[in-house]
């Protein structure tokens, strides 16, 4: 996606640890007064008055006037001066901010609510903005003290952010009376931690027209993003890989892909985003059956491109009488720490599985291959099983090493292939850059299919097949 001379080359979700709290508190609100009480006080606020003047002004009988004034005197809101005129007390003077204003009485009320705060900046965020699972993202490490002292820290931040929390509508049950001043916090009575949750921060990594990384944008959910950018930098440094450009170029040669090679500057070996734009324009008006794209294949725009290329194939299969349950649609994952770290991956994987059949018949047999060291790598298989959640049943372990683990491939036999190179250039780009193409060209599909089939069916030694079987069986065996 290209805009303002910036190109998004990757989209990664970071999961910021957060907690939900039950907070009980007392607050001060401004309350209006009954009609007669309000207007007597407003009149006397303008100038001191005699009882007779008040009776005349409001058209009250002698008895009604005595009752109204007696009530206000007993409340400590009016006093009778030595010259027989009524004046406001210090207490009732405090009801007014200026002459002619409507008086408001401050009252203290108890209330409570369930609110969520992240554990890095302690920003309060909407209970609706989180998904209650830790899959499809990279978890950030926060200060242990913030976790252990969270209740005490949230008490402080809740008081400090009270007006901001009201403005965002997170305590909508607190009513602002008559459009006047907002309630203000009086005291926090209790803060109880309920559960740990993730705050998902979807992050676009962008480059300029020279292929250099540009500064990441701040997050509107957070009061301050600086601290979180630092936590991300720590995680990115931990996951940093060596430059794999030469290995990527070798992979392109292996699958006879000289077109993607042309997108790189021959002197610097860096991608030129403008070359992509030019190539996409050429593809649009040719019948090459090829679509080049930048970014993860499961991003919204790229997944739509894949579905557009796939639609004619599936529509034809729906019309056919044949059941295609034996036709494999293989998705081979790369050995890239950023791959699948997005909620978009979860939804695309769901789509990949759901489109495999209609209610009448099967259109293809979906298989996801994820990288493991070998058939006894139960630890990694268990991690993948957790990461894939309900979709793990279609996933198998594949000994990593296909094209050095730098290439992701989706391949529907004889019909369509998508190849995505996961390029690591840590000198210029903080995270890997997925760059790929979709093709319906029969010759290209045949080359890619032969490469995958040969690798999957091969072994890495005696009784060590590359295809390690379904994740569940790897986990159960060991």
């Amino acid at each position: 996606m290209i805009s303002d001379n910036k190109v998004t080359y990757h989209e990664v979700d970071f999961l910021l640890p957060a907690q939900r709290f039950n907070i009980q508190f007392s607050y001060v609100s401004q309350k209006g007064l009954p009609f007669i009480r309000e207007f007597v006080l407003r009149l006397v606020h303008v100038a001191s008055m005699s009882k007779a003047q008040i009776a005349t002004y409001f058209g009250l009988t002698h008895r009604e006037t005595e009752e109204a004034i007696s009530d206000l005197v007993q409340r400590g809101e009016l006093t009778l001066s030595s010259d027989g005129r009524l004046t406001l007390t210090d207490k009732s003077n405090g009801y007014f901010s200026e002459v002619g204003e409507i008086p408001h009485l401050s009252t203290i009320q108890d209330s409570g609510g369930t609110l969520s705060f992240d554990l890095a900046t302690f920003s309060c965020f909407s209970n609706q903005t989180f998904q209650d699972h830790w899959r499809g993202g990279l978890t950030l490490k926060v200060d242990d003290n913030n976790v252990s002292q969270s209740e005490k820290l949230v008490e402080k931040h809740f008081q400090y952010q009270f007006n901001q929390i009201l403005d965002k509508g997170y305590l909508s049950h607190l009513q602002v009376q008559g459009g006047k001043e907002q309630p203000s916090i009086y005291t926090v009575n209790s803060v109880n931690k309920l559960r740990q949750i993730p705050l998902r921060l979807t992050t676009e990594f962008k480059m300029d027209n020279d292929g250099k990384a540009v500064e990441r944008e701040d997050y509107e959910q957070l009061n301050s993003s600086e601290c979180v950018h630092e936590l991300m930098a720590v995680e990115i440094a931990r996951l940093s890989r060596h430059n794999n450009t030469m290995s990527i170029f070798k992979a392109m040669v292996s699958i006879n892909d000289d077109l993607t090679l042309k997108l790189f500057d021959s002197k610097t070996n860096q991608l030129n985003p403008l070359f992509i734009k030019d190539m996409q324009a050429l593809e649009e008006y040719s019948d090459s059956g090829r679509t080049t794209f930048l970014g993860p294949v499961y991003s919204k725009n790229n997944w739509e491109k894949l579905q557009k290329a796939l639609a004619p194939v599936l529509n034809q299969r729906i019309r056919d009488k044949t059941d295609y349950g034996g036709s494999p649609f293989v998705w081979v994952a790369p050995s890239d720490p950023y791959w699948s770290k997005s909620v978009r991956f979860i939804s695309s994987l769901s789509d990949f599985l759901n489109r495999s059949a209609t209610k009448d018949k099967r259109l293809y047999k979906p298989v996801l291959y994820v990288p493991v060291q070998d058939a006894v790598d139960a630890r990694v298989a268990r991690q993948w099983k957790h990461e894939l959640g309900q979709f793990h049943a279609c996933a198998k372990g594949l000994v990593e090493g296909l094209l050095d683990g730098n290439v992701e491939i989706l391949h529907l036999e004889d019909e369509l292939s998508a190849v995505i190179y996961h390029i690591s250039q840590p000198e210029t780009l903080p995270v890997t850059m997925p760059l790929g193409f979709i093709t319906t060209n029969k010759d290209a599909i045949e080359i890619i299919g032969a490469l995958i089939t040969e690798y999957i069916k091969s072994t890495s030694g005696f009784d060590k097949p590359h295809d390690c079987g379904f994740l569940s069986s790897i986990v159960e065996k060991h």
Side-chain angles (χ1 to χ4, degrees):
M1 201 174 109
I2 299 181
S3 63
D4 303 328
N5 297 323
K6 293 177 188 174
V7 188
T8 299
Y9 70 90
H10 212 332
E11 192 177 282
V12 180
D13 286 1
F14 289 91
L15 304 177
L16 181 60
Q19 289 175 350
R20 289 184 77 179
F21 300 84
N22 179 275
I23 303 175
Q24 297 298 315
F25 58 92
S26 301
Y27 66 97
V28 178
S29 69
Q30 302 288 320
K31 192 170 75 173
L33 304 176
F35 178 80
I36 289 292
R37 186 176 167 197
E38 175 192 325
F39 278 91
V40 169
L41 291 177
R42 286 177 75 177
L43 196 61
V44 176
H45 184 235
V46 174
S48 56
M49 301 248 169
S50 66
K51 290 181 181 180
Q53 286 173 317
I54 289 172
T56 303
Y57 188 87
F58 288 107
L60 301 175
T61 64
H62 175 74
R63 183 181 168 189
E64 288 169 339
T65 304
E66 285 297 328
E67 282 181 1
I69 290 169
S70 174
D71 175 58
L72 291 169
V73 169
Q74 284 176 14
R75 291 175 183 274
E77 294 171 346
L78 282 184
T79 184
L80 201 60
S81 61
S82 55
D83 62 358
R85 299 176 79 80
L86 294 161
T87 59
L88 298 185
T89 63
D90 289 344
K91 177 183 175 182
S92 54
N93 255 315
Y95 300 168
F96 297 89
S97 52
E98 55 185 81
V99 174
E101 275 290 308
I102 298 171
H104 281 89
L105 183 63
S106 293
T107 62
I108 296 173
Q109 299 181 61
D110 291 332
S111 189
T114 302
L115 297 170
S116 304
F117 290 80
D118 78 85
L119 298 182
T121 68
F122 286 93
S123 304
C124 182
F125 61 92
S126 168
N127 290 331
Q128 276 77 52
T129 61
F130 78 93
Q131 293 172 314
D132 196 13
H133 66 75
W134 295 81
R135 294 188 294 277
L138 290 168
T139 302
L140 297 173
K141 177 82 172 72
V142 295
D143 189 325
D144 289 338
N145 187 57
N146 288 359
V147 180
S148 60
Q149 301 289 313
S150 62
E151 290 179 342
K152 188 186 293 184
L153 290 165
V154 162
E155 180 179 341
K156 182 182 83 174
H157 283 279
F158 174 72
Q159 293 180 77
Y160 179 68
Q161 296 176 47
F162 186 73
N163 287 342
Q164 196 179 344
I165 291 167
L166 285 179
D167 288 341
K168 289 179 177 177
Y170 299 160
L171 293 170
S172 54
H173 58 288
L174 300 193
Q175 296 301 313
V176 178
Q177 295 291 331
K180 292 299 293 179
E181 290 178 30
Q182 280 192 328
S184 57
I185 190 70
Y186 181 69
T187 185
V188 177
N189 303 318
S190 67
V191 176
N192 292 305
K193 178 172 64 186
L194 299 176
R195 67 201 297 196
Q196 186 112 334
I197 56 172
L199 173 59
R200 185 175 293 272
L201 300 173
T202 296
T203 305
E204 289 188 351
F205 289 87
K206 298 181 180 183
M207 61 169 74
D208 59 22
N209 281 340
D210 296 321
K212 302 267 175 51
V214 298
E215 195 173 320
R216 295 192 294 280
E217 292 171 7
D218 288 341
Y219 301 95
E220 60 181 27
Q221 306 103 306
L222 303 176
N223 296 334
S224 167
S225 297
E226 188 179 348
C227 159
V228 173
H229 282 308
E230 288 172 9
L231 295 179
M232 287 178 182
V234 170
E235 184 65 9
I236 288 168
R238 186 182 73 81
L239 297 173
S240 182
R241 300 290 177 92
H242 295 301
N243 188 309
N244 67 359
T245 310
M246 287 302 115
S247 172
I248 293 287
F249 290 167
K250 277 171 60 182
M252 290 175 187
V253 172
S254 298
I255 60 173
N256 207 20
D257 175 23
D258 56 342
L259 289 173
T260 307
L261 206 51
K262 291 177 182 176
L263 300 174
F264 290 80
D265 187 300
S266 57
K267 291 177 183 172
T268 63
N269 286 339
Q270 285 182 346
L271 177 78
N272 187 323
L274 296 177
F275 290 176
I276 297 182
K277 208 173 178 183
D278 293 342
M279 185 174 281
Q280 288 172 332
L282 287 170
E283 289 168 350
E284 198 174 337
Y285 297 105
S286 75
D287 57 357
S288 65
R290 180 184 165 111
T291 305
T292 298
F293 62 88
L294 180 64
V297 68
Y298 47 76
S299 72
K300 186 173 185 294
N301 288 341
N302 293 340
W303 195 254
E304 284 173 3
K305 287 173 183 173
L306 179 69
Q307 296 311 316
K308 186 179 177 183
L310 192 58
V313 177
L314 297 187
N315 289 339
Q316 182 59 48
R317 291 189 172 191
I318 288 168
R319 287 193 294 269
D320 286 353
K321 292 180 180 176
T322 317
D323 186 283
Y324 289 91
S327 171
F329 193 168
V330 174
W331 188 347
V332 181
S335 299
D336 175 359
Y338 296 100
W339 182 80
S340 80
K341 304 306 181 196
S342 164
V343 75
R344 285 289 322 157
F345 167 73
I346 303 290
S347 62
S348 296
L349 178 59
S350 171
D351 197 43
F352 175 67
L353 300 176
N354 291 337
R355 287 176 183 266
S356 67
T358 65
K359 60 183 179 186
D360 301 317
K361 65 175 181 179
R362 292 170 298 174
L363 304 178
Y364 58 80
K365 180 184 178 184
V367 183
L368 173 67
Y369 281 103
V370 291
V372 293
Q373 286 186 337
D374 50 39
V376 294
D377 191 1
R379 182 185 64 83
V380 170
R382 197 172 285 112
Q383 284 174 356
W384 278 120
K385 199 174 168 186
H386 167 74
E387 187 69 26
L388 299 172
Q390 68 192 77
F391 306 119
H392 77 269
C394 77
K396 300 175 90 173
L398 184 68
V399 173
E400 55 189 343
L402 172 63
L403 299 173
D404 294 338
N406 296 322
V407 183
E408 174 184 5
I409 299 174
L410 290 90
H411 178 74
L412 179 59
E413 201 170 24
D414 300 327
E415 302 286 5
L416 172 144
S417 293
V419 174
I420 306 96
Y421 305 101
H422 289 254
I423 302 156
S424 175
Q425 295 181 333
E427 308 82 8
T428 52
L429 300 174
V431 301
T432 51
M433 174 177 63
L435 170 68
F437 65 92
I438 301 158
T439 183
T440 53
N441 177 282
K442 297 298 181 187
D443 293 338
I445 292 168
E446 192 176 334
I447 292 168
I448 295 161
L451 185 83
I452 296 177
T453 304
E454 184 187 351
Y455 187 84
I456 291 174
K457 289 185 175 176
S458 297
T459 64
S460 53
F462 177 70
D463 203 26
K464 291 184 177 178
H466 284 162
D467 185 342
C468 301
F470 288 101
L471 292 178
S472 295
S473 64
I474 301 173
V475 172
E476 285 162 13
K477 274 189 239 168
H478 309 283

